[in-house]
Structure formats: C-alpha cells, structure tokens
C-alpha cells in the first residue's frame, strides 16, 4: 500500500480491511480510473474497470475486481494469462517451505506458456516491504 498514499490508505487502526477498501479506497480509485479512461460503461448503469488490482499489506491480500467487487484471499492468488498454471503450481508445492521458491517455480511454469512472463522476477515481501530479484543470472 505504498504505491499512492493519497488513494491507498490504511484504516484508523493501521490495518487494511475490506470495509476500509470499500468505503475509503474505492471512491478515490473510481475517480482516478475515470479520469484515466480506465472505466467502461455498459447498459448505462453498469461499470467495469479495465484493470484488476491486488492490494497486499503485511499478511492480507485483497483483489479489486474489474466489477469493483472486493475479495480477500487467505494464501495466494494469481491473475492474468497463465494464472491457472501459477495457481496449480502453488497448490502442488505446498510441501516446499520456501515461499519464494514456490513463487519462482510457479512463474517459471507460466513463462513456458506465456512469453510475456520471464526472468528476472521481482518478489516483494509485504510484511517488511523487502524486495528480492530472483533468477537474474
């Protein structure tokens, strides 16, 4: 939640919650997306975003869907072309202790099906905001 501190804020208790996202973040985000022409209107009363957004802070992960629904995930999630391969790999490597290794393995699998995905990967630990570059050799 450090990308844009005017929009992506924490609640008064310093937490990221679904309620806070819906009441505080979404209204600001809608305004920004509208100005950037990133909202599509359908049938005059239904809107959709051209983007899907993940928000991760410490140990919570939320998705703001293109329909502006807010979902919370317990362990992991992947979006985009090849996400089914990433999710399958993450599920099949639960016995691996190193989460970074699981993520790299999942991304490597996706990269064999999607040429837009490839090394090096930048991994971000959302608990301590530490960045690691993996597979840059």
């Amino acid at each position: 939640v450090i990308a844009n501190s005017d929009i992506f804020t924490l609640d008064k208790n310093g937490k990221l919650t679904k309620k806070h996202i819906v009441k505080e973040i979404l209204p600001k985000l809608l305004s920004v997306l509208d100005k950037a022409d990133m909202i599509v209107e359908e049938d005059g009363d239904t809107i959709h975003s051209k983007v899907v957004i993940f928000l991760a802070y410490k140990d919570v992960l939320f998705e703001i869907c293109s329909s502006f629904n807010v979902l919370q995930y317990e362990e992991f999630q992947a979006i985009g072309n090849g996400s089914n391969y990433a999710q399958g790999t993450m599920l099949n490597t639960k016995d691996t202790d190193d989460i970074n290794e699981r993520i790299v393995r999942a991304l490597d699998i996706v990269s064999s099906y999607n040429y837009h995905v490839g090394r090096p990967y930048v991994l971000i630990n959302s608990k301590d905001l530490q960045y690691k570059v993996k597979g840059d050799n």
Side-chain angles (χ1 to χ4, degrees), residues 46-94:
T46 303
I47 62 170
H48 293 280
S49 171
K50 294 180 183 178
V51 297
V52 175
I53 298 171
F54 278 151
L55 294 177
Y57 182 73
K58 296 195 177 185
D59 61 347
V60 295
L61 173 63
F62 292 94
E63 176 183 349
I64 300 176
C65 303
S66 62
S67 60
F68 297 104
N69 289 319
V70 178
L71 306 174
Q72 183 173 2
Y73 297 101
E74 294 299 318
E75 290 187 48
F76 61 86
Q77 179 60 324
I79 56 174
N81 191 348
S83 61
N84 52 335
Y85 298 110
Q87 291 170 343
T89 303
M90 292 295 289
L91 286 170
N92 288 326
T93 57
K94 282 191 169 198

